[in-house]
């Protein structure tokens, strides 16, 4: 189910962000997130990305990274720098990996704006604020788990209520 | 010696299966949607919704829905592809296509083309469609391998095949319930609502004769698709196979 969500999200972002996928057409990228159960092939074809768990066919490039590094790529982090810091492992055609990074960085989308269509402005803003604080963390997933736990056990201590405490 | 194939649990001459299947669908066409809702407790709408969401179809795409019957998928595809795209609703059975035409008009959907065709000989040029779908239709096709090759042929490179079909569940509890429901309840409901117990007996039998998830995946790959994966829905009672032509 994770790859279904990933496929929907990527294609939605490419569509809404007016990103150009043509340079990646015909390429297959094996993509593994080390901290999440996601090992998939990105099949870039016909101006869209299919995310498939069928990894039996060979890929042009293998990319392994953590989810926080994946999010960093969206925010314009330099691939070469991440490679130098061993935060991302690439086997195969590095040019294809760079094309994917270029694509992710082309996506210019205001997540709060998109979210506000479904949740309203206030909730979208609060979630955006929360997301920014997680992004600043070294381990966003752990930070998210901690925050959810706080929210369930002691909601007034949650970051969502921080301003109200002050 | 005549070649034979299965029609439910019966062996019939290969050449006869098509007309026997046509007879089943001629008989149930007018009550098809109602029966689907009753027999699946409405779940078929969720399975189809998931299929549409998985299609990756976008504005301007060309889509062929094979064995599209009453047009559930075609309606949603038409909304996705918009006026710049093209949706073809096809079925081997004229009575089902008529029901589809009525259903689309009742839903205010226009601009869908209707074609009566046999999935084993699809009358479209190579590399025509961005997406081909077949929902609850493949098990009725006599030569499934040939039909899959045809679907591969008419898809553009990068095109997507979606096969939504009854499949096999691994859950012992579900299996027992499903067997009882399929063979003891479904035909009776078919008799009561559609006045056709025999056709719904065939439906239950044909599901058991259909290839399981892994076998169908191999068949899709053998037909030439570069990738194929499947997702079990409702515990594997239904599976969605998705093939990508590379």
């Amino acid at each position: 189910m994770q790859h279904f969500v990933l496929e929907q999200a990527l294609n939605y972002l490419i569509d809404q962000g007016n990103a150009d996928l043509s340079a990646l057409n015909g390429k297959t990228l094996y993509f593994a997130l080390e901290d999440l159960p996601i090992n998939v092939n990105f099949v870039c074809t016909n101006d869209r990305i299919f995310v498939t768990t069928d990894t039996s066919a060979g890929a042009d490039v293998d990319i392994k990274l953590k989810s926080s590094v994946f999010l960093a790529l969206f925010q314009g982090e330099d691939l070469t720098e991440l490679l130098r810091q061993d935060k991302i492992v690439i086997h195969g055609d590095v040019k294809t990996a760079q094309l994917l990074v270029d694509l992710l960085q082309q996506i210019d989308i205001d997540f709060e704006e998109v979210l506000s269509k479904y949740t309203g402005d206030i909730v979208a803003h609060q979630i955006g604020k929360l997301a920014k604080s997680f992004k600043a963390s070294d381990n966003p997933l752990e930070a998210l788990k901690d925050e959810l736990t706080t929210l369930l056990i002691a909601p007034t201590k949650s970051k969502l209520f921080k301003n109200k405490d002050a | 010696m005549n070649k034979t194939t299965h029609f439910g649990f019966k062996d019939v001459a290969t050449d006869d299966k098509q007309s026997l299947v046509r007879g089943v669908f001629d008989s149930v066409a007018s009550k098809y949607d109602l029966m689907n809702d009753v027999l699946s407790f409405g779940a078929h709408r969720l399975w189809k919704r998931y299929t549409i969401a998985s299609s990756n179809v976008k504005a301007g795409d060309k889509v062929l829905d094979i064995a599209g019957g009453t047009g559930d998928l075609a309606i949603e595809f038409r909304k996705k592809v918009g006026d710049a795209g093209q949706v073809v609703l096809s079925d081997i059975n004229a009575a089902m296509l008529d029901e589809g035409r009525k259903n689309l008009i009742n839903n205010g959907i226009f601009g869908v083309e209707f074609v009566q065709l046999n999935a084993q000989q699809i009358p479209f040029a190579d590399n025509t469609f961005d997406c081909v779908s077949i929902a609850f239709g493949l098990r009725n096709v006599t030569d499934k391998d040939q039909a899959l090759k045809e679907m591969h042929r008419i898809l553009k490179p990068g095109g997507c095949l979606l096969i939504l079909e009854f499949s096999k569940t691994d859950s012992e509890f579900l299996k027992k319930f499903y067997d009882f429901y399929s063979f003891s309840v479904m035909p009776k409901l078919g008799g009561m609502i559609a006045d056709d117990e025999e056709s719904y007996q065939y439906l239950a039998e044909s599901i058991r004769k259909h290839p399981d998830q892994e076998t169908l995946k191999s068949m899709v790959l053998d037909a030439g698709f570069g990738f194929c994966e499947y997702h079990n829905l409702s515990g594997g009672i239904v599976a969605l196979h998705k093939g990508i032509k590379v």
Side-chain angles (χ1 to χ4, degrees), chain B residues 115-178:
Chain B
V115 176
Q116 187 174 0
L117 61 77
N118 181 338
Q120 292 163 209
Q121 292 129 11
I122 302 176
F124 288 103
D126 298 359
N127 308 322
T128 300
F129 292 97
D130 298 285
C131 178
V132 170
S133 62
I134 178 165
F136 305 113
L138 189 64
R139 71 177 188 285
N140 298 313
V141 175
T142 308
D143 188 342
K144 295 173 184 62
D145 291 318
Q146 173 60 23
L148 291 170
K149 280 180 192 152
E150 279 291 273
M151 293 172 202
H152 179 266
R153 180 184 65 76
I154 58 161
L155 273 169
K156 291 177 188 171
C160 174
L161 168 68
L162 297 163
I163 303 168
L164 182 66
E165 189 54 91
F166 292 105
S167 206
K168 303 276 188 292
T169 176
D170 284 336
S171 157
E172 280 306 316
F173 168 74
L174 262 183
K175 223 181 267 180
K176 279 179 188 159
F177 167 76
Y178 189 46

Side-chain angles (χ1 to χ4, degrees), chain B residues 5-6 131 199:
Chain B
T5 188
H6 57 81
C131 178
S199 290

Side-chain angles (χ1 to χ4, degrees), chain A residues 14-148:
Chain A
I14 288 165
D15 205 32
Q16 296 291 310
N18 293 317
D20 181 11
L21 194 62
S22 56
L24 273 170
N25 268 338
K27 302 284 187 192
T28 300
L29 301 92
Y30 173 77
F31 182 86
L33 288 180
E34 290 165 348
D35 49 351
L36 289 174
I38 292 183
N39 300 283
V40 291
N41 268 341
F42 287 171
V43 184
C44 305
T45 181
N46 203 17
D47 292 320
R48 67 205 77 190
I49 295 181
F50 290 101
V51 179
T52 171
T53 51
D54 178 3
T55 54
S56 53
D60 295 287
V61 61
D62 292 4
I63 304 172
K64 288 177 189 164
L65 72 176
K66 286 192 172 162
S67 53
S68 56
V69 179
F70 183 50
L71 291 175
L73 287 170
F74 268 106
Q75 288 147 17
E77 198 82 25
D78 183 39
L79 177 65
T80 319
E81 184 58 26
L82 291 169
L83 279 168
R84 200 181 59 75
Q85 294 171 10
D86 289 332
K87 287 188 173 173
I88 182 165
V89 179
I90 294 178
H91 291 294
D93 182 8
V94 181
K95 275 186 192 167
T96 303
Q98 182 64 57
L99 286 172
L100 177 69
V101 173
D102 291 346
L103 175 81
L104 297 178
Q105 293 178 354
Q106 274 177 46
I107 295 170
D108 180 20
I109 197 160
D110 182 344
F111 289 96
E112 283 183 34
E113 172 69 27
V114 174
L115 197 59
S116 69
K117 289 179 194 165
Y118 305 98
T119 63
D121 289 342
I122 297 170
V123 174
H125 175 66
Q126 291 291 340
I127 292 172
K129 213 166 68 174
L130 204 60
K132 276 173 198 148
S133 71
F134 293 144
K135 270 192 265 177
S137 157
D138 286 339
N139 194 337
L141 281 177
E142 282 306 311
L144 178 64
K145 280 183 206 162
D146 290 347
E147 180 58 26
L148 287 174

Side-chain angles (χ1 to χ4, degrees), chain A residues 7-8 45 47-48 53-54, chain B residues 53 56 58 61 158 229 242:
Chain A
E7 181 178 281
Q8 299 291 306
T45 181
D47 292 320
R48 67 205 77 190
T53 51
D54 178 3
Chain B
N56 247 337
K58 55 185 186 183
D61 278 357
E229 64 179 357
K242 184 169 170 180

Side-chain angles (χ1 to χ4, degrees), chain B residues 221-236:
Chain B
L221 291 171
D222 288 347
F225 287 86
F227 297 91
C228 181
E229 64 179 357
Y230 62 84
H231 305 281
N232 285 334
L233 305 172
S234 302

